Amino acid sequence: MRSVQLRRGTYVDSVTLMQVSRRVAALDGVTSALVAMATELNLDLAAGMGFEVPPASPNELLVAVEAVSVDAALAEVDLALLEASRPAPSGFGSAPAPVTVRSAAARSGATVALVSTPGQWAFADAVDALDAGLLTMVFSDNVPLEQEVALKEHAARAGLLVMGPDCGTAVVGGVGLGFANVVRPGPVGIVAASGTGAQHLMALLDGAGVGVSHCLGVGGRDLSAEVAGRSTLRALDLLDADEATELVVVVSKPPAPEVAEAVRARAASLGTPVLFGLLGAGRPDLTETAAAVVQAAGGRWAAPEHWAGQVPAGRPGGALRGLFVGGTLCDEAMLVASAALGRVSSNIPLDPAWAVGDDLASDGHTMLDFGDDRLTRGRPHPMIDGALRVERLRAETEDPTTGVLLLDVVLGLGSADDPAAELVPALHAARAAGVPVVVSVTGTRDDPQGLRGQVAALHGAGAWVHLSNAAAARCALDLLGDPA
Amino acid sequence: MNLSTPPAVVTAGASLLADALRAQAVDVSEVLWQPPAGDPAALAAVMGDPRRVPANARALTAMLAAEAHLVDVVPAAEALGLGPGEFLHAGPPVEWDRASGPMRGALVGAMLFEGLAATPEDAERRLAAGDGVSWAPCHSRGAVGPMAGLITPSMWVFCLRDPSTGHESWCSLNEGLGKVLRYGAYGPEVIERLHWMTAVLGPMLQHAVRAGDPVDVKAIVAQMIQMGDEGHNRNRAGTLMFLREVLPAMIDSDFAQADVAAAVRFVSGNDHFFLNLVMPACKLQARAAAEIPGSTVVTVMARNGTDFGIQTAGTGDTWFTAPANTPEGLFLGSYGPDDANPDIGDSAITETAGIGGLAMATAPAIVRFVGGSVPDALATTQRMYDITVGENPAYGIPILEFRGTPTGIDVTAVVRSGVLPQINTGMAGRVAGTGQVGAGLVTPPMPCFTQALEALAARSAR
């Protein structure tokens, strides 16, 4: 029995809905369940699952179940939604939960705002946060470019900083915001136009015993000509003025040339030394940047640990297939791989001519970023819900042209509780099919998932495991053999 | 801003990110977020307008500075310059064809009272034809009227003045409850009462007001709020305090003792008498914020029984209208929900100024109209702080530790939160001539606010 409902007047965030969907799908007698806001992507998803979905607006809640007893499944949906809603305290006279950032700030005396509302609305919430005088992180993606510029100008007028939009990672005063690894406190301040790049750098520094004061994300577009480094410049000033920060490192893709000049000029004018880790062809990778930072901070650098896997070599003549949750990690792996292989197809291609089609079908050596905007509209980020990637991992394993698989696993606050567990069955399948899998793990000893346990689970399933993403990419190239 | 302050975080969006902060023992305040109403581009334009915050601060300052003195009581023809057959009514403009039952009933009553028609049928015919009669919103002249809100040339009106701005505002004298013109009743007893008010009550109040210093209506409102009146559906304390102000001069006049006794019985027997003074006082407060470019503060909320209309500080006297909702509440006698007309009256000016439904916490008796409890009343007012730009320290609510009433409804906060202003109101009978059928609670329709947002966006600065 199938049932499709659209419910009006209910909004629940995509992560909670994913948890509700999973809980319902796990019930006995339930074949499939999708509880999601009725975005285009989710409607397509429902159609792909065989549901007939009526026209709907993204503000409606789609409840689609296929079950022996639809009533029982829907009852579970209702229960799960009820438990997920956090009702206001109902004590005598206590105030109901705040409904705007401004009212929340006024009541709580907060200093920081973390906005992760859907992209088309995030601007309003972020302006509200700036008006309340808060350091504002905009986690949301799909925020229009002109709104990003307007937001950053607003922040400048208010003497504040906007981190983002599309800022996945920040650490402020030891508190991780969004996706962040648990790192020791220390002298290094990071300005990052790259979320997983910042995470990887922090994890490598922590592994080398060097701590972080603050990591200020600025959003991937900040160093573009349009945004002109507005938040990067502001973040440099803030870190320069911060007593805990002795050394600053800027992590980004190569900026627009005139923006690079402005950023370098600002960096040169500061009292605090500034290092640059700009990803690009012929430039240092994140691991090399980490080594330079550790040395500049007076620490001792040793190559990050790795563990060899169990399948000796790739399918002869096969292609390299990289499936990533981290955009920067995907970029870095493509830079390493394309130096040896030439063309690497991608949904975030190094060269526009290397773009994969809209169906994301693999085309020779291919690397995909599952965290790309187009794949997260109305869906949780793959670091929270890796289901789409696992599905693709199985498909690539079955594809006879696949030679070696390359993956990343990103641990830390905000990420899934046990990402290795989600991958292990697919890793076993790959080993059985004779496809080697190389995994880079970004994480620290104090991350909630447990770095050692995650590595052990992945390694136990036969994967090559590296704590350096660049080293993982090189390992994958080695396993691929001679690029004939 | 510096980075050394220990973070306490507000989160809006995915709960998982708030959970990750709580896991780090960080103080987290999670916003109960939902998708805003209306057009995302319009919202962005208005939120991004750099004039918005200072303009709203100016609007609030002006509202808080406004005062309200009762300076005179005179016929409307004199106060408002209404000529014969010229009427004012509540809410946004409405033509006869779209007028609700109570609005039609009140217009018929006005025709009979002014002697422009001999019978209700005659009145209806002339109204439908626009024969020798015209009507316009009270707000278009700076006046306000409860329910149907009819003000005709012969009716006497309270005249209030704001010394801080020099603005004036006017309101009719309250007729009492039950079968009254403002609820659309027009039977002989209604018309007879109106004539008595014109012949006796008006002149007597004029004498009393002129005999002393102007009555400080704002000061009485401040006291009534502390005495369990929210100023819209409860005006019991306010009415008695007003009577205390004018009673000596009424007694000490040349009016016949029987007339004085009748007037005192009439005022003290009508718990809503002071509503017609609260309303123009609130109008003066809201009007102080009118015409501030870039401000998203609501300056008028009013209904005509068909449409609900609002105006904002940033958009002048443009009305943004949508079909009015029907109140929920308790009914008189054997009346029921089917008998109730959609929301009607200028009395939502009290909410516009931050009292009435917005001050529900001070008058928990009102929520019992809808089966609510005292905590519901407290929660309602506290919710209203989320959609207003500030608080009015002159109107302190004792049970909220004398916190000021939430003041200055912000269009952007309403559309973003989906929280609509709470309005406490009376209910008129759907059929012309019925009168009052109950009282209860209602909210404005959201499209009024989304339309205002679009108009504000069209006038926004970058």
Side-chain angles (χ1 to χ4, degrees):
Chain A
M1 287 277 289
R2 287 167 184 274
S3 158
V4 177
Q5 296 180 349
L6 288 169
R7 300 184 183 181
R8 289 197 66 87
T10 305
Y11 173 82
V12 185
D13 72 77
S14 58
V15 178
T16 302
L17 288 174
M18 179 201 81
Q19 289 162 340
V20 170
S21 299
R22 286 221 181 132
R23 173 169 158 183
V24 175
L27 280 187
D28 282 344
V30 174
T31 318
S32 59
L34 180 67
V35 184
M37 300 313 289
T39 60
E40 210 171 317
L41 183 74
N42 287 329
L43 292 173
D44 284 352
L45 218 61
M49 292 164 74
F51 291 103
E52 283 184 33
V53 187
S57 83
N59 288 349
E60 289 173 286
L61 179 68
L62 170 70
V63 179
V65 292
E66 181 176 3
V68 179
S69 163
V70 164
D71 286 347
L74 290 178
E76 186 72 9
V77 169
D78 291 337
L79 184 65
L81 287 174
L82 185 70
E83 287 177 13
S85 71
R86 294 163 195 252
S90 57
F92 188 91
S94 51
V99 292
T100 65
V101 174
R102 186 189 69 103
S103 59
R107 292 187 209 177
S108 65
T111 52
V112 175
L114 171 46
V115 173
S116 60
T117 54
Q120 62 175 331
W121 303 115
F123 177 78
D125 295 305
V127 168
D128 211 22
L130 293 171
D131 287 345
L134 306 184
L135 170 66
T136 301
M137 169 164 167
V138 182
F139 184 89
S140 320
D141 53 13
N142 293 305
V143 175
L145 183 65
E146 66 274 14
Q147 290 186 359
E148 175 168 349
V149 173
L151 208 51
K152 288 177 175 177
E153 286 181 348
H154 200 106
R157 279 195 298 273
L160 297 166
L161 171 70
V162 171
M163 298 190 279
D166 202 6
C167 172
T169 298
V171 175
V172 177
V175 170
L177 297 158
F179 297 118
N181 300 90
V182 180
V183 292
R184 69 193 81 204
V188 180
I190 300 173
V191 181
S194 143
T196 45
Q199 281 194 272
H200 198 54
L201 181 64
M202 280 194 282
L204 292 172
L205 293 179
D206 192 78
V210 173
V212 169
S213 59
H214 311 279
C215 171
L216 306 178
V218 293
R221 295 186 300 215
D222 193 65
L223 294 164
S224 66
E226 294 87 349
V227 187
R230 285 180 166 91
S231 285
T232 300
L233 296 172
R234 177 80 184 130
L236 283 173
D237 290 345
L238 284 170
L239 289 172
D240 190 39
D242 177 57
E243 287 188 2
T245 304
E246 296 166 21
L247 171 67
V248 175
V249 53
V250 179
V251 195
S252 168
K253 292 184 202 177
E258 69 275 21
V259 181
E261 200 175 313
V263 172
R264 286 191 188 279
R266 180 70 60 90
S269 76
L270 302 181
T272 312
V274 180
L275 272 67
F276 286 84
L278 307 180
L279 276 183
R283 294 170 187 272
D285 58 42
L286 290 165
T287 305
E288 287 161 344
T289 298
V293 172
V294 168
Q295 277 148 15
R300 280 176 55 189
W301 175 256
E305 282 183 272
H306 65 98
W307 297 264
Q310 290 170 17
V311 179
R315 291 172 180 161
L320 177 59
R321 300 284 154 80
L323 306 175
F324 285 84
V325 298
T328 303
L329 299 179
C330 183
D331 257 327
E332 183 181 56
M334 289 195 293
L335 285 167
V336 170
S338 69
L341 302 175
R343 179 189 175 110
V344 177
S345 305
S346 178
N347 59 335
I348 52 163
L350 294 176
D351 176 333
W354 296 355
V356 294
D358 286 343
D359 60 356
L360 303 181
S362 291
D363 174 14
H365 303 298
T366 304
M367 297 201 195
L368 299 176
D369 171 22
F370 284 84
D372 185 47
D373 277 9
R374 280 165 292 178
L375 293 172
T376 57
R377 208 162 291 189
R379 269 195 73 83
H381 193 278
M383 277 156 60
I384 299 169
D385 173 18
L388 277 181
R389 181 169 75 155
V390 170
E391 205 177 292
R392 183 63 178 251
L393 181 54
R394 291 185 179 281
E396 293 291 348
T397 301
E398 284 164 23
D399 179 350
T401 69
T402 302
V404 174
L405 284 159
L406 176 61
L407 311 175
D408 61 346
V409 166
V410 183
L411 308 180
L413 301 160
S415 288
D417 292 339
D418 188 357
E422 199 175 35
L423 291 168
V424 161
L427 295 183
H428 283 301
R431 182 171 58 173
V435 182
V437 184
V438 185
V439 184
S440 82
V441 178
T442 295
T444 69
R445 54 181 188 160
D446 292 327
D447 279 338
Q449 295 87 352
L451 176 62
R452 296 285 151 190
Q454 290 288 307
V455 166
L458 295 164
H459 186 235
W464 274 254
V465 180
H466 287 260
L467 297 187
S468 157
N469 186 60
R474 292 194 186 94
C475 169
L477 289 176
D478 290 345
L479 290 169
L480 202 59
D482 223 4
Chain B
M1 188 190 74
N2 67 63
L3 296 170
S4 57
T5 319
V9 185
V10 171
T11 65
S15 291
L16 178 122
L17 299 178
D19 292 341
L21 286 161
R22 287 193 193 93
Q24 300 174 71
V26 173
D27 183 6
V28 179
S29 175
E30 197 171 356
V31 174
L32 195 63
W33 191 88
Q34 66 164 27
D39 175 26
L43 181 60
V46 176
M47 288 301 286
D49 187 336
R51 300 173 306 169
R52 179 178 50 86
V53 170
N56 284 347
R58 247 181 84 198
L60 179 67
T61 303
M63 288 174 89
L64 300 187
E67 292 181 66
H69 292 169
L70 171 61
V71 293
D72 209 349
V73 183
V74 290
E78 186 184 320
L80 286 152
L82 294 182
E86 243 186 297
F87 300 162
L88 300 179
H89 67 88
V94 65
E95 60 278 22
W96 177 258
D97 289 348
R98 295 184 69 243
S100 62
M103 183 60 77
R104 287 184 174 206
L107 284 163
V108 167
M111 295 291 282
L112 298 173
F113 167 63
E114 290 287 333
L116 296 171
T119 64
E121 295 72 26
D122 182 26
E124 284 198 24
R125 190 188 52 74
R126 297 192 58 182
L127 286 161
D131 180 5
V133 58
S134 65
W135 55 92
C138 294
H139 276 289
S140 67
R141 301 283 188 98
V144 276
M147 302 310 286
L150 261 292
I151 300 178
T152 71
S154 309
M155 285 181 186
W156 286 56
V157 293
F158 291 119
C159 177
L160 276 71
R161 195 159 186 283
D162 171 8
S164 79
T165 59
H167 291 151
E168 293 189 315
S169 184
W170 304 268
C171 187
S172 55
L173 311 184
N174 193 287
E175 311 162 77
L177 295 174
K179 288 205 179 299
V180 287
L181 186 79
R182 72 177 185 282
Y183 280 98
Y186 52 76
E189 76 277 25
V190 174
I191 306 304
E192 194 184 321
R193 185 188 308 115
L194 288 172
H195 282 303
W196 173 80
M197 290 170 70
T198 295
V200 178
L201 183 64
M204 198 180 306
L205 287 170
Q206 180 186 65
H207 166 81
V209 169
R210 288 182 176 179
D213 292 333
V215 178
D216 187 342
V217 176
K218 186 179 180 182
I220 298 178
V221 173
Q223 292 172 69
M224 73 192 274
I225 298 260
Q226 297 194 12
M227 296 167 80
D229 283 352
E230 38 67 279
H232 189 169
N233 245 3
R234 268 182 72 98
N235 292 279
R236 186 168 288 190
T239 297
L240 293 174
M241 280 187 282
F242 172 68
L243 193 60
R244 188 179 64 173
E245 294 278 340
V246 292
L247 195 52
M250 285 167 72
I251 292 169
D252 202 16
S253 70
D254 297 334
F255 286 89
Q257 198 181 349
D259 285 341
V260 173
V264 170
R265 257 198 306 277
F266 181 78
V267 174
S268 59
N270 172 10
D271 284 341
H272 283 292
F273 194 78
F274 191 63
L275 172 63
N276 292 37
L277 284 149
V278 177
M279 285 174 57
C282 288
K283 174 63 183 173
L284 288 172
Q285 185 187 320
R287 189 176 171 192
E291 306 291 347
I292 298 178
S295 171
T296 59
V297 166
V298 175
T299 52
V300 170
M301 293 197 291
R303 328 72 116 200
N304 59 33
T306 303
D307 294 325
F308 197 113
I310 71 169
Q311 297 179 3
T312 79
T315 53
D317 57 7
T318 307
W319 287 99
F320 306 102
T321 64
N325 295 327
T326 300
E328 289 177 30
L330 288 182
F331 293 88
L332 302 172
S334 59
Y335 291 120
D338 294 344
D339 298 313
N341 194 75
D343 200 13
I344 184 168
D346 287 336
S347 54
I349 195 68
T350 57
E351 281 82 10
T352 315
I355 59 173
L358 272 67
M360 186 84 96
T362 208
I366 306 284
V367 274
R368 299 180 64 190
F369 278 120
V370 286
S373 59
V374 175
D376 294 335
L378 300 180
T380 297
T381 291
Q382 295 187 86
R383 172 58 80 222
M384 294 296 109
Y385 290 113
D386 287 356
I387 60 165
T388 48
V389 295
E391 303 173 11
N392 188 345
Y395 298 162
I397 300 176
I399 199 165
L400 297 181
E401 302 203 56
F402 294 93
R403 188 172 180 188
T405 51
T407 302
I409 295 163
D410 178 358
V411 170
T412 65
V414 171
V415 299
R416 288 176 52 218
S417 65
V419 173
L420 292 159
Q422 176 65 57
I423 293 171
N424 299 340
T425 192
M427 278 188 272
R430 186 177 282 279
V431 176
T434 305
Q436 183 176 15
V437 297
L441 310 183
V442 72
T443 56
M446 182 58 88
C448 292
F449 295 89
T450 53
Q451 289 170 40
L453 183 77
E454 283 172 31
L456 287 161
R459 298 173 186 215
S460 64
R462 299 219 80 186

